[in-house]
Amino acid sequence: MTTEEELLARLKPGCICKGIKLHRILKAIEEGAINFEQIAEITGIGGGSCGSKRCRKKVAALLQEKGLL
Ligand code: FES
């Protein structure tokens, strides 16, 4: 991630209901997480009011973007 990408990711939401920023998800992927369950365990997403519906889609799109899906 470039510095600019990281700055933007620090501002963008990853999990709206728990206030977890996008950069936490991207960092988990960079550190080797390869599916939603692993990312959820590392970041804490998935346990909020969306019931994983919103964040699971976001994670799937990120994993696909990085060629992991
Ligand atoms: S967006 Fe927060 S748990 Fe899914």
Side-chain angles (χ1 to χ4, degrees):
M1 222 180 333
T2 66
T3 305
E4 186 175 317
E5 287 170 337
E6 185 168 346
L7 283 172
L8 287 173
R10 285 181 181 275
L11 298 172
K12 291 183 179 176
C15 165
I16 295 169
C17 34
K18 294 175 88 176
I20 296 168
K21 298 297 185 187
L22 182 62
H23 81 96
R24 299 252 325 262
I25 296 172
L26 293 173
K27 189 169 180 245
I29 294 171
E30 280 181 8
E31 290 175 352
I34 58 168
N35 57 41
F36 180 80
E37 288 70 24
Q38 290 177 353
I39 293 167
E41 188 176 325
I42 294 167
T43 64
I45 67 168
S49 60
C50 91
S52 303
K53 288 180 190 150
R54 191 172 34 219
C55 47
R56 188 177 289 274
K57 284 182 190 170
K58 184 175 290 189
V59 165
L62 291 169
L63 291 173
Q64 192 164 21
E65 205 173 274
K66 296 191 178 292
L68 296 171
L69 258 188

